[in-house]
Amino acid sequence: MNTKRFYTTLILTLILSCFALSAQSDKQKKLEKQRQQIIKEMKQINALLFTKKKEEKSAITLIEDLNYKVNVRKNLIRITNEQANLLTREINNNQKEITSLRTQLQELKDDYAAMVVKSYKSKSEQSKVMFLLSSDNFQQAYKRLQYIKQYRAYQKEQGEAIKTKTKELQDRNIQLSKQKEDKKKLIEENRIAKRELEGELKQREVLMASIKSDMGKFAAQIKKKKQEADRLDKEINRLIKEAIAASNKKAGNKSSTGKFVLTPEAKKLASNFEANKGKLGWPVSRGVIKAKFGKGRSLTDSSVEVNNPGIKIATEKGAVVKAVFDGEVSQILVIKRGNPAIMIRHGDYLTIYTNLSKIFVKKGDKVKTGEMIGEVFTNKIKGETLLGLRIYKNNKMLNPESWLTKF
């Protein structure tokens, strides 16, 4: 066996294996983090939406809650499947590596055994001395002496290589056993999740059947809800334009630029707000995002497309609303046939808290992060407590979910 070539091949194999394992390990960690986040969300959903008596909620709200839960459950199953599939690939790769390692280990042992036999046959010091003395000249004797030293070193290297390769093989076997156990656990958890999903889908079918005769009434409720949302959107857009125009006028600009004109203090506040993206505290102590930002499907009717300007957080009755960051109360919005809202300015950023029952602040108040500013409205007919949260930069809508820290 060519020692140099063998060790070069061995090193390259180890490096490539490490890179592949590292990439797979990183992906597995990322998937596991997502899975744990969804499991946490499922616990919050059960605690906030499914602990009350069904009689306290309208059928339409129950359907919305079930659809939301079903969507989250499906996402959990999908992530778990991805993890199981990735583990299958890792297990197959590991089994191939183990087969290769066993072959390499056997080659090392065979090579080492041959050297031991050869060394035994020429083990006497007299043989080594005669080998040196039979040299034709000093240079040849020197080369033969170096050869003896190199041969001894090579024997030692082969012995160490056998130890290393044996340890690597043992580690791979341990890793393989763990991977198989992890996969078994994931498959079992997915089996349970699928059973839960089947039960939820049947429950939804029963609910849908119970409201079939009242679909006209529910369609009217959905239409009314959309009209209220449109009025709120219109009023918020108007107030944002007014606030921007006022900041321009105060700065001496005759025509509005469509952006807030900032003082040095406001610039610093906006910069700090921006630096906290993904780290802002939640506006309620407990909650789950029942309606996500942007385009999506209605939780009541999946054939209906909705476009949310913010997020809706399902929380508990009597939940207190807290400011997510330092700022100044820019407006208290009072909507006709709707619930009040609070607009807080953070430089050229705005946070808007909608569907409130109580207001604890007034226009012009300076608020601190985590300060209580109001209370969420609970709809007694629907049996739900939903807080709306919007974030704007100037008049541009942003996704609040990407600004909040993970629960």
Side-chain angles (χ1 to χ4, degrees), residues 285-308:
S285 297
R286 297 175 71 206
V288 288
I289 299 173
K290 188 174 173 181
K292 291 184 176 288
F293 172 82
K295 290 182 179 180
R297 294 288 165 184
S298 167
L299 287 173
T300 310
D301 185 350
S302 59
S303 66
V304 177
E305 188 178 76
V306 293
N307 191 6
N308 294 317

Side-chain angles (χ1 to χ4, degrees), residues 147-189:
Y147 170 77
I148 292 169
K149 289 180 179 179
Q150 287 173 2
Y151 193 75
R152 285 176 179 171
Y154 177 63
Q155 280 183 304
K156 188 177 180 182
E157 283 177 6
Q158 288 291 84
E160 291 299 320
I162 289 171
K163 288 180 184 178
T164 303
K165 191 62 68 177
T166 303
K167 177 69 168 60
E168 189 183 347
L169 185 57
Q170 289 169 346
D171 290 344
R172 282 298 176 93
N173 280 321
I174 292 169
Q175 187 183 46
L176 183 63
S177 297
K178 186 181 181 303
Q179 286 171 335
K180 286 180 177 179
E181 191 61 36
D182 288 345
K183 184 182 174 182
K184 184 180 176 182
K185 185 180 176 183
L186 285 171
I187 290 170
E188 180 55 32
E189 287 180 7

Side-chain angles (χ1 to χ4, degrees), residues 243-254:
I244 291 173
S247 77
N248 275 258
K249 187 177 179 181
K250 190 175 180 180
N253 294 343
K254 292 181 179 180

Side-chain angles (χ1 to χ4, degrees), residues 306-330:
V306 293
N307 191 6
N308 294 317
I311 58 174
K312 290 179 183 177
I313 302 172
T315 185
E316 52 202 344
K317 187 177 180 180
V320 172
V321 183
K322 297 171 284 187
V324 298
F325 203 73
D326 297 351
E328 181 180 332
V329 178
S330 179

Side-chain angles (χ1 to χ4, degrees), residues 34-51 65-77 80 192-194 196-197 200 286-289 407:
Q34 290 175 7
R35 194 173 73 90
Q36 290 302 324
Q37 190 64 41
I38 296 170
I39 289 171
K40 201 172 182 181
E41 186 179 358
M42 286 297 299
K43 287 179 181 177
Q44 288 275 49
I45 289 169
N46 287 326
L48 292 170
L49 303 180
F50 291 91
T51 52
D65 290 351
L66 264 174
N67 281 336
Y68 170 46
K69 191 177 182 181
V70 163
N71 290 339
V72 175
R73 181 87 67 190
K74 284 179 178 178
N75 198 25
L76 176 61
I77 291 169
T80 309
I192 294 168
K194 284 175 181 177
E196 295 282 348
L197 178 62
E200 288 155 3
R286 297 175 71 206
V288 288
I289 299 173
F407 245 131

Side-chain angles (χ1 to χ4, degrees), residues 277-288:
K277 184 175 182 180
K279 294 182 282 186
L280 295 180
W282 279 55
V284 288
S285 297
R286 297 175 71 206
V288 288

Side-chain angles (χ1 to χ4, degrees), residues 47-167:
L48 292 170
L49 303 180
F50 291 91
T51 52
K52 296 177 183 177
K53 292 179 182 178
K54 290 181 181 179
E55 291 77 16
E56 293 180 11
K57 290 187 177 185
S58 68
I60 201 81
T61 301
L62 281 170
I63 289 169
E64 283 184 357
D65 290 351
L66 264 174
N67 281 336
Y68 170 46
K69 191 177 182 181
V70 163
N71 290 339
V72 175
R73 181 87 67 190
K74 284 179 178 178
N75 198 25
L76 176 61
I77 291 169
R78 180 184 63 80
I79 293 290
T80 309
N81 273 336
E82 280 188 41
Q83 280 187 280
N85 290 337
L86 182 60
L87 271 174
T88 299
R89 291 195 294 271
E90 287 180 357
I91 288 167
N92 290 338
N93 288 339
N94 242 346
Q95 285 174 332
K96 288 177 184 176
E97 285 292 322
I98 287 170
T99 301
S100 176
L101 283 170
R102 282 176 179 156
T103 302
Q104 291 174 32
L105 182 59
Q106 190 57 51
E107 287 177 1
L108 282 170
K109 286 179 177 179
D110 291 344
D111 197 22
Y112 189 73
M115 282 194 297
V116 170
V117 171
K118 189 175 180 181
S119 296
Y120 180 79
K121 289 179 178 179
S122 57
K123 66 179 181 178
S124 69
E125 288 299 321
Q126 186 179 0
S127 297
K128 291 173 185 175
V129 171
M130 289 301 298
F131 178 62
L132 290 172
L133 292 175
S134 63
S135 303
D136 294 335
N137 51 53
F138 178 77
Q139 188 176 6
Q140 190 181 61
Y142 177 76
K143 286 182 178 179
R144 288 184 176 185
L145 179 61
Q146 291 300 111
Y147 170 77
I148 292 169
K149 289 180 179 179
Q150 287 173 2
Y151 193 75
R152 285 176 179 171
Y154 177 63
Q155 280 183 304
K156 188 177 180 182
E157 283 177 6
Q158 288 291 84
E160 291 299 320
I162 289 171
K163 288 180 184 178
T164 303
K165 191 62 68 177
T166 303
K167 177 69 168 60

